[in-house]
Amino acid sequence: MTQVRKKLPILSPFFIALVVLHSLFVDYTVQFPDFISSESSETNLETIKPKVIAENGVIGRISYLESFLVEIESKELPIDTDLEDTKDNVKRVLIGQKLLLGLLLFYLFLTFSTAMTYMFRVWFHKSMAHVLYPVSLVVLLPKIFFQLNLMVQKDIFSYFYFLFLLCTYIFTILAYRTIIKDKEPYEGFQSLQFSSSLEEEGRSPSQTKTGTYFVPIFHVLVIILIGILIGNLIYIPLFLLQKHYVSEFSYFIFFLIGLLSVFYIFNYNKVGGESQNKNWQNLSVSFAYLQYRFLRNGFFSIFTTILIILFVTFLFSLLLFNIDLIQNNLGLFGKTTEF
């Protein structure tokens, strides 16, 4: 039994991956009745009950929105028809669905990365597990309730999928408990911890030099100049591109992110790969480490943004309180209107 529980952190992510794959093609929603009649018959009571229905997943929604865009951009429409606002709204909804698809694919790859890092005893495995398993427990719970409602509606397929989701939920809990209680050290691929240092990249750190006061002033001027050039040559053109060419710009951004990710994976493989492992094993761990960096930097950015928002809100509230206090007690603002 102990050996089986030790295998669960490898098997349970693949069960979760199957659920994510199913979500890409099939989604569930609650359908409410269009109107409620005042009649009290049993037939009417059945019709006013909300129902869970299956609909297209994110891939189906993206396909539908793209075909809808092609339809409204057709030349067969009247010339005087103005659909620019509708096109822009549909394109932005399409971008949102593509971002959701990217998030689901990241979640899908996270299941693979978590299993691989546990298998190879990588040092950042517990950090990956602390993200995957709690998120999976939250994601699986509404899916189980949807299947329960479908079982009430006599959907045959829901019985099998409910059983699969319930087993996946139990396996996820047991796997997470196994990882938390595991006291064995994870020491694989320790060199990846120092992948960002200059010594690991074969360069020696530059010596600290002291200069005159003109050096920082010169640096500030250079930063301002570079900021102006970047704003005019990169940011403004990119803003115009995403405004007028929404789909093309999204494809371009996804392509750049993918290209940069491949670059980082091969660099992590070069810096942190272990000679006793096969090449595909080193590449798998390098891919998992890239996801770990994404998660760590993403959580840090969100936390920093929340702190900044709270700080600015506090300062703004304090400013409004001070203005109100001065106006009510000293009447300075009232006196200034007399001049």
Side-chain angles (χ1 to χ4, degrees), residues 246-262:
V246 181
S247 301
E248 293 80 1
F249 180 78
S250 61
Y251 289 131
F252 177 68
I253 292 297
F254 290 148
F255 171 75
L256 290 181
I257 293 175
L259 192 63
L260 188 63
S261 299
V262 172

Side-chain angles (χ1 to χ4, degrees), residues 104-153:
L104 288 175
L105 290 177
F106 183 85
Y107 182 31
L108 180 64
F109 293 142
L110 182 63
T111 60
F112 168 79
S113 300
T114 305
M116 291 296 103
T117 51
Y118 178 83
M119 185 184 301
F120 300 132
R121 315 296 294 178
V122 184
W123 59 271
F124 57 89
H125 165 69
K126 285 194 174 183
S127 299
M128 305 281 286
H130 288 323
V131 175
L132 174 68
Y133 291 108
V135 171
S136 299
L137 292 175
V138 174
V139 170
L140 288 172
L141 198 58
K143 294 182 178 296
I144 293 175
F145 283 109
F146 278 135
Q147 297 307 313
L148 282 173
N149 284 274
L150 287 172
M151 289 168 62
V152 174
Q153 297 171 200

